Amino acid sequence: MARRCSFVENNVGDARWEGCSFAAKDFRMNVLLIGGGGREHAMAWKIAQSSLLDELYVAPGNPGTVRHGRNVPLDLQDHKKLRAFLLDKRIRIVVVGPEGPLVDGLHDRIADDPELKDVTVIGPRKEGARLEGSKDFAKEFMFRHNIPTAAHRSFGKGQLQEAIEHIERSPAPYVLKADGLASGKGVVITSDKKEAAKVLKDMLQDGRFGAAGERVVIEQFLKGIEVSAFLITDGDSFKMLPAAKDYKRIGAGDTGPNTGGMGAVSPVPFADRDFMQKVHDRVAAPTIRGLKKDGIPFSGFLFMGLMNVNGEPYVIEYNVRLGDPETQAILPRLRSDLLDLFEGIATATLSERHVDVDDRTAVSIVLASEGYPGEYATGAPIVGMELVREAYVFQSGTTMKGDQLVTAGGRVLTVTAFGKDLEQAIMSAQRSAALIEFQGRYLRPDIGFDLVKQPSTKAAPPVAR
Ligand code: AMP
Ligand code: GLY
């Protein structure tokens, strides 16, 4: 197939258009991107490179997205105002970064409004978003469609005793999951039966996890290495996007509490061609087929959180969006025009589009505020970003205080660097991360180290403080 028109850029800022045979202005469209984290900064950066873009709006965005579009305050719950905005700005595509608005039914509100018939939402309707919004729904779906996942049982309110008896009969460790969205805090893994019983009581009886914990999924523990796989779909066909490995724990060597993610590497050496073919055939394809078969319309991104168990992929979870910080590692590797893929969703012609990926390795390191994922201070001035020459810097927990960029969140920014191999990419990302300073800055010094076959003395020394 002929190469599609795309914007090609390397990590030192050389950029060019390739394969464009039309007057780009004829195809231009206005886009609204929802979200304000590092994922959305990377998405805004990528969308802004599209030959198909006219105006990009980001709601609410962050100081980083301002460089690629216009930040707008929008109350997504106020449908009248949202409709007025979409019509006034002639928005063609609404891209939803986080899962919340999708689980909340944003897609449905837009798609069911006859005045907004020309607007395409990238992200599923509420029903499809249940793949992420309800672990019980996702497990039943996988079971129905023969998609490999850990064996499970689920228990509702009033079934506390049965759940505890199930634990008594099962081998440790115990994996307990609140059914609903719990901001990454709804999964407890323990080998202690007493602790497991207490968590079950907290969820099912005492309502400590709110509505999310009114139903609990208890799963078989899977031993392996995790990898995040992604696809984009128009509901009919799908395209795999690059996979990434996320580093979820706060501390070096995978220690300490879970976070949203402290770094990412793409591609992932152990997710080789064979493994990714299995992911395609046994997970991605049956998922899209299963959704169709169940009559669940689904478009947008699907994030397959996988465990590689002796070379076999098992689904740990689905997310109906891209990952953070995985996006900051995979979008710089995507050579294709992201808006062209979105256009493929809008016109149900995704099968005709091409996903072209840079072979080089991208490493993303998150700079966080000391104390994260617990309590942390904000308002610390961030300096040195302008010194970064060989990496991309994507902002998340930042805000402007006058003319000064200051910290405003747990995960403050992500530095992404390329290398011809993993070691080079790690060194480059570490060099760049070391240039950026703020009070209490913390980073994981070992992002990617576990994937380097023979860690050499060339690897830069840890730069955490
Ligand atoms: P989740 O929110 O479902 O992604 O779970 C959070 C984390 O718990 C995952 O990233 C895994 O590290 C771990 N986890 C979840 N399910 C299992 C399982 N069945 N076996 C082992 N680890 C799991
Ligand atoms: N980095 C994991 C996630 O976005 O859910």
Side-chain angles (χ1 to χ4, degrees):
M1 189 193 300
R3 233 188 110 80
R4 293 239 154 214
C5 175
S6 64
F7 185 87
V8 180
E9 188 191 26
N10 66 20
N11 63 336
V12 288
D14 296 331
R16 64 186 183 279
W17 295 104
E18 272 188 10
C20 306
S21 59
F22 53 78
K25 66 177 176 32
D26 296 342
F27 291 84
R28 289 186 165 197
M29 53 191 146
N30 294 343
V31 176
L32 170 65
L33 169 64
I34 310 281
R39 168 184 47 211
E40 288 77 24
H41 185 179
M43 290 172 103
W45 165 82
K46 182 69 187 160
I47 291 168
Q49 294 166 23
S50 173
S51 56
L52 306 174
L53 181 72
D54 192 358
E55 289 278 352
L56 173 64
Y57 299 89
V58 193
N62 67 37
T65 61
V66 170
R67 292 169 49 202
H68 312 292
R70 210 172 298 175
N71 286 356
V72 286
L74 263 184
D75 177 1
L76 301 178
Q77 300 298 335
D78 188 337
H79 184 71
K80 259 194 186 159
K81 281 204 182 126
L82 177 64
R83 177 205 286 136
F85 179 85
L86 295 175
L87 292 173
D88 179 46
K89 303 296 183 198
R90 303 162 70 93
I91 302 290
R92 178 81 205 287
I93 303 267
V94 176
V95 193
V96 188
E99 66 282 7
L102 297 166
V103 173
D104 234 37
L106 178 66
H107 185 144
D108 306 63
R109 290 197 292 278
I110 292 174
D112 297 342
D113 183 335
E115 283 191 63
L116 300 177
K117 65 178 183 345
D118 294 332
V119 180
T120 296
V121 181
I122 307 300
R125 280 177 177 265
K126 195 172 180 160
E127 202 186 355
R130 289 183 77 199
L131 279 185
E132 175 162 2
S134 166
K135 305 244 181 223
D136 186 36
F137 175 84
K139 294 298 282 192
E140 292 299 323
F141 175 87
M142 287 184 263
F143 184 71
R144 206 161 46 244
H145 299 290
N146 214 8
I147 294 162
T149 186
H152 83 288
R153 290 266 320 262
S154 86
F155 300 89
K157 261 184 153 178
Q159 290 183 297
L160 175 62
Q161 203 46 43
E162 275 174 68
I164 292 174
E165 282 164 19
H166 177 73
I167 291 288
E168 292 290 341
R169 287 193 302 272
S170 308
Y174 311 106
V175 181
L176 313 172
K177 298 186 175 182
D179 177 51
L181 291 183
S183 319
K185 296 187 177 67
V187 177
V188 177
I189 302 180
T190 176
S191 290
D192 181 346
K193 274 201 171 101
K194 274 203 187 123
E195 193 194 344
K198 181 172 179 318
V199 170
L200 288 172
K201 188 166 167 287
D202 281 350
M203 288 185 180
L204 290 174
Q205 190 174 299
D206 301 342
R208 292 249 175 92
F209 290 72
E214 284 179 5
R215 180 158 277 279
V216 178
V217 170
I218 303 182
E219 275 188 15
Q220 166 203 11
F221 180 80
L222 295 173
K223 199 165 162 34
I225 320 179
E226 283 182 67
V227 56
S228 307
F230 301 93
L231 61 77
I232 184 166
T233 180
D234 58 9
D236 207 27
S237 67
F238 68 91
K239 302 277 177 190
M240 295 297 289
L241 297 173
K245 182 176 190 281
D246 180 18
Y247 291 76
K248 287 218 170 79
R249 303 290 200 93
I250 188 73
D254 287 333
T255 53
N258 259 331
T259 68
M262 295 300 294
V265 172
S266 178
V268 186
F270 66 80
D272 54 15
R273 195 179 285 262
D274 258 16
F275 180 79
M276 290 311 292
Q277 190 64 46
K278 289 179 188 169
V279 174
H280 177 281
D281 297 348
R282 299 182 195 168
V283 179
T287 299
I288 300 306
R289 263 201 316 271
L291 286 163
K292 264 183 91 172
K293 202 165 163 196
D294 291 351
I296 301 172
F298 195 100
S299 62
F301 296 105
L302 184 71
F303 169 157
M304 296 157 280
L306 306 170
M307 191 72 89
N308 176 339
V309 184
N310 300 321
E312 306 300 319
Y314 285 79
V315 179
I316 293 181
E317 63 165 352
Y318 286 117
N319 295 310
V320 298
R321 53 171 173 82
L322 289 178
D324 188 339
E326 290 97 326
T327 305
Q328 293 92 304
I330 67 173
L331 285 190
R333 293 191 60 223
L334 184 69
R335 283 214 181 104
S336 312
D337 183 332
L338 193 55
L339 264 193
D340 182 53
L341 299 177
F342 293 164
E343 175 75 359
I345 292 178
T347 53
T349 55
L350 189 65
S351 62
E352 294 167 21
R353 315 289 158 137
H354 187 61
V355 171
D356 189 16
V357 175
D358 190 325
D359 287 338
R360 290 175 301 163
T361 296
V363 168
S364 297
I365 299 177
V366 171
L367 272 57
S369 302
E370 189 174 13
Y372 172 78
E375 306 246 310
Y376 51 82
T378 57
I382 302 168
V383 297
M385 264 170 53
E386 71 289 352
L387 302 175
V388 177
R389 291 272 178 272
E390 58 176 325
Y392 302 114
V393 181
F394 298 116
Q395 300 185 30
S396 37
T398 59
T399 192
M400 294 304 293
K401 197 168 162 191
D403 287 341
Q404 177 64 52
L405 187 71
V406 299
T407 62
R411 293 190 294 173
V412 176
L413 42 88
T414 308
V415 173
T416 297
F418 273 122
K420 69 174 174 19
D421 60 26
L422 178 55
E423 263 186 286
Q424 298 283 340
I426 293 171
M427 285 193 287
S428 179
Q430 290 202 347
R431 271 197 304 271
S432 295
L435 297 171
I436 305 173
E437 304 259 4
F438 54 86
Q439 178 77 38
R441 159 189 170 285
Y442 170 81
L443 59 76
R444 248 185 85 159
D446 64 337
I447 301 299
F449 277 30
D450 56 321
L451 302 175
V452 175
K453 278 206 185 81
Q454 286 171 326
S456 84
T457 47
K458 276 193 296 171
V463 286
R465 265 157 273 177

